[in-house]
Amino acid sequence: MAQEKYILAVDQSTSGTKVKIINNKGEILTKKSLEHQQYYPNPGWSEHDPIEIYSNVRDLLDEMIKTSTVDVSNIEVLSITNQRETIVVWDKETGLPVYNAIVWQCRRTADLCKELKNKGLEKVVKHKTGLTLDPYFSATKVKWILDNVDGAREKAQNGQLLLGTIDSWLVWKLTNGKVHATDYTNASRTMLYNIYNLSWDDELLDIFTIPQSMLPEVKFSDEIFGIVSNLANLHLPISGIIGDSHGALVGQMCYEKGMVKSTFGTGSSLMMNTGKKAIKSGKGLMTTIAYAYDGTINYALEGIVHSTGDTLKWIKDNLGLFNSFEEAEKMATSIESNDGVYIIPSFSGLGAPYWNPYSKAAIMGMSRRVNKNHIVRAGMESIVYQIRDVIELMNQESGIELKELRVDGGPTTNKFLMQFQADILGINVVKTNVPELSSMGAAYLAGLGKGLWNNIEEIKKLDYSKYFFCCEMNPSDSTKYYQEWKSTIALMIGGDQIKTEKDSTLLNEENIKVVQ
């Protein structure tokens, strides 16, 4: 009988870090987690302490190795999946960040993005990166640090500073500063990387005034990035680096063109595999690198929803309307409908298809009979409506009518939410018995890199239980709810932002191009 081999998987997300041991059957054997502090120094700003994140990763790895019941000598590789656009700038001599990590949610550079748009630069950014010129992505965050932290720009110009998404920061720290690298998926989220010629782009670096010397090397996810040199006596190779949403696409086994997954977390990312051809969106979707391994690049269409799980967290923590998410689900199902109450959860602006960084959150449609159950239900429903916004765009732009949606993330344990998703979309919603699949995708790629699996076909054979939520709602009711949502959005941000399918050209580009 073949000896069991293990992958030590790091899942570094917006709210915290998880470390898991996964075997070569694709089973999670054990898991440990730590949350990290969220910093909101000004309205619309969001930051993390990179040192705290690294310390949590180290503490979890050390604890996992010391307390694990598996033979740690059979751990073959360490993988990392990470929150994506969150950026760190650090001094390569001291190993210290020059400023806190600026989180993907942060809107401090909205005015800078507006200024660059007014200069007519959005088209070139979109053309090269597949991304909308928005504070969500990393480039303007780096520029803000260089422009606002004393001495930062001078140090950067002298080659003293490095930048990277969280994966790069962790790899650099875990290898004692020997490796400064990232993978194709994380590079594609910085707004500095040309996803078509696969290179850091000089014109984009000039637009955002960022020195080339700060940038990491870009690798395929299944390459060996380096060796962990400060973890017990293991000296583990690092492989399977991938952004969290892309990792979920791999973990969901969406390897065929047209397959779509939705990852529910703080925000949500819907991603459609478009294969080896990139579809350029003219209607508010992103074109991105889906995953890259074995020397091959696969592309995807992506729709980004800024606030999903975070909406429920806000209702719980800030409004105090429930104590647990199990209680919240009972509250939502205790009433027959939302009674016309809609929450527009634009705490960090609105993502696809609106891309409005200035929109504020609101609760609309309240009457005297409304109680806290309606607010909780409206928060859950807002997640579903935003997902449908993105799905409708994907159907239009890809020409593929979706038959099912594969879902992952903590909120997928909420049966009301998943059933309402199936009802409003009118298609099957499919979840597995593994709620968090980002780390599984990273582990698969690490396993391919280290030979635990020989190919994707072997991974496809791994056993997962699947649960199907089928549409049960009368189509006229689902249409009514969704149209009321669209009308409420129009009231919030102005009817000029709400386009029909025929004339929706939010980016004012040609509709669809296919890039070979």
Side-chain angles (χ1 to χ4, degrees):
M1 183 177 178
Q3 191 176 45
E4 195 165 55
K5 298 292 185 180
Y6 307 109
I7 298 161
L8 196 54
V10 174
D11 183 353
Q12 204 300 297
S13 71
T14 308
S15 59
T17 301
K18 302 181 185 73
V19 170
K20 306 167 187 177
I21 290 180
I22 299 169
N23 66 14
N24 52 351
K25 299 175 185 175
E27 299 168 332
I28 298 174
L29 302 181
T30 185
K31 177 173 72 173
K32 296 182 183 297
S33 64
L34 283 172
E35 292 189 352
H36 57 257
Q37 182 70 40
Q38 308 291 320
Y39 297 94
Y40 306 105
N42 288 302
W45 291 29
S46 182
E47 297 176 2
H48 295 155
D49 178 357
I51 296 295
E52 181 189 9
I53 288 175
Y54 171 64
S55 296
N56 285 355
V57 169
R58 276 303 311 273
D59 289 347
L60 288 168
L61 290 173
D62 286 338
E63 184 182 357
M64 186 69 82
I65 288 169
K66 289 175 183 176
T67 62
S68 176
T69 57
V70 308
D71 183 351
V72 295
S73 66
N74 288 329
I75 297 176
E76 294 285 304
V77 63
L78 183 143
S79 67
I80 300 173
T81 187
N82 59 287
Q83 51 171 318
R84 297 179 296 171
E85 296 79 8
T86 298
I87 200 77
V88 185
V89 175
W90 68 94
D91 189 311
K92 66 181 181 182
E93 301 298 328
T94 67
L96 297 175
V98 301
Y99 189 79
N100 272 346
I102 300 182
V103 181
W104 58 269
Q105 294 170 306
C106 188
R107 314 307 289 169
R108 77 184 66 191
T109 61
D111 288 342
L112 172 58
C113 289
K114 185 177 181 180
E115 178 186 327
L116 294 172
K117 287 179 183 179
N118 290 340
K119 291 180 179 178
L121 294 171
E122 182 169 42
K123 190 170 184 178
V124 67
V125 170
K126 177 74 173 176
H127 177 69
K128 293 186 174 195
T129 69
L131 308 176
T132 298
L133 189 47
D134 188 85
Y136 185 95
F137 304 104
S138 310
T140 56
K141 304 178 195 298
V142 177
K143 177 172 170 55
W144 187 94
I145 290 174
L146 297 184
D147 289 344
N148 289 277
V149 175
D150 287 344
R153 183 162 293 283
E154 182 181 356
K155 283 186 175 183
Q157 290 169 343
N158 291 335
Q160 294 174 253
L161 299 187
L162 302 175
L163 69 82
T165 41
I166 294 293
D167 61 304
S168 294
W169 165 246
L170 293 178
V171 168
W172 195 85
K173 295 294 284 185
L174 289 168
T175 61
N176 276 333
K178 293 179 181 176
V179 178
H180 183 216
T182 190
D183 85 298
Y184 283 101
T185 66
N186 280 293
S188 75
R189 312 304 295 181
T190 61
M191 215 155 57
L192 299 171
Y193 194 74
N194 189 316
I195 64 172
Y196 305 110
N197 67 21
L198 304 178
S199 67
W200 297 112
D201 192 273
D202 289 338
E203 185 177 8
L204 296 174
L205 291 170
D206 286 342
I207 288 172
F208 298 107
T209 64
I210 296 171
Q212 175 96 26
S213 60
M214 298 180 71
L215 298 167
E217 180 185 0
V218 183
K219 293 176 175 284
F220 287 91
S221 290
D222 59 338
E223 289 188 62
I224 303 299
F225 280 63
I227 304 296
V228 179
S229 55
N230 53 8
L231 179 63
N233 295 313
L234 292 183
H235 303 291
L236 284 176
I238 301 172
S239 185
I241 306 288
I242 191 168
D244 53 10
S245 186
H246 311 261
L249 190 76
V250 176
Q252 286 278 22
M253 302 188 185
C254 293
Y255 307 135
E256 297 172 17
K257 183 178 178 181
M259 298 182 75
V260 179
K261 67 87 200 174
S262 177
T263 298
F264 293 82
T266 302
S268 287
S269 159
L270 281 87
M271 199 173 280
M272 172 184 280
N273 187 342
T274 62
K276 294 176 177 58
K277 293 182 178 179
I279 297 176
K280 279 191 172 182
S281 169
K283 301 181 180 180
L285 297 178
M286 304 298 100
T287 306
T288 192
I289 293 175
Y291 49 85
Y293 76 97
D294 195 27
T296 301
I297 304 290
N298 281 267
Y299 291 92
L301 276 176
E302 182 181 20
I304 295 165
V305 179
H306 287 161
S307 186
T308 52
D310 195 47
T311 302
L312 301 183
K313 190 173 188 298
W314 171 77
I315 295 172
K316 175 179 176 289
D317 295 346
N318 292 49
L319 301 187
L321 298 189
F322 60 88
N323 295 313
S324 70
F325 294 109
E326 292 79 10
E327 180 187 357
E329 184 174 359
K330 291 178 182 177
M331 293 169 69
T333 56
S334 70
I335 52 179
E336 291 185 0
S337 74
N338 61 19
D339 270 347
V341 178
Y342 290 84
I343 290 181
I344 310 300
S346 46
F347 302 102
S348 302
L350 287 171
Y354 313 104
W355 288 106
N356 186 323
Y358 299 102
S359 175
K360 300 296 183 184
I363 303 174
M364 308 282 279
M366 290 191 293
S367 66
R368 185 62 183 82
R369 61 173 277 143
V370 166
N371 59 42
K372 63 182 182 180
N373 296 333
H374 294 89
I375 305 299
V376 171
R377 179 167 176 142
M380 292 183 188
E381 289 186 355
S382 73
I383 296 171
V384 170
Y385 299 132
Q386 291 176 99
I387 299 298
R388 177 164 170 177
D389 284 341
V390 174
I391 292 292
E392 291 207 340
L393 271 184
M394 284 186 168
N395 287 343
Q396 294 172 46
E397 302 238 289
S398 68
I400 300 169
E401 196 69 28
L402 214 62
K403 297 295 188 294
E404 69 174 29
L405 176 67
R406 297 189 176 188
V407 297
D408 60 275
T412 62
T413 59
N414 186 317
K415 292 181 180 179
F416 167 79
L417 181 63
M418 293 300 100
Q419 183 59 55
F420 194 71
Q421 185 80 84
D423 289 339
I424 293 299
L425 291 178
I427 59 175
N428 289 343
V429 171
V430 185
K431 70 181 290 287
T432 73
N433 58 340
V434 181
E436 299 157 352
L437 283 166
S438 298
S439 55
M440 292 305 301
Y444 293 157
L445 293 165
L448 288 170
K450 279 292 293 177
L452 274 70
W453 299 288
N454 294 314
N455 51 52
I456 285 290
E457 293 306 314
E458 289 186 8
I459 291 172
K460 285 182 181 179
K461 294 176 183 177
L462 298 176
D463 183 35
Y464 280 114
S465 297
K466 292 183 180 179
Y467 305 88
F468 290 80
F469 294 87
C470 305
C471 178
E472 297 175 354
M473 185 180 288
N474 187 305
S476 62
D477 289 336
S478 62
T479 299
K480 170 182 174 291
Y481 288 137
Y482 184 60
Q483 288 305 316
E484 287 178 356
W485 159 262
K486 298 289 280 187
S487 298
T488 306
I489 287 272
L491 285 172
M492 272 292 299
I493 64 176
D496 61 315
Q497 289 282 333
I498 308 297
K499 308 287 185 178
T500 65
E501 292 186 5
K502 183 178 179 181
D503 65 6
S504 177
T505 52
L506 295 180
L507 297 175
N508 197 27
E509 285 192 11
E510 50 272 85
N511 283 341
I512 300 177
K513 288 183 178 178
V514 175
V515 178
Q516 300 293 337

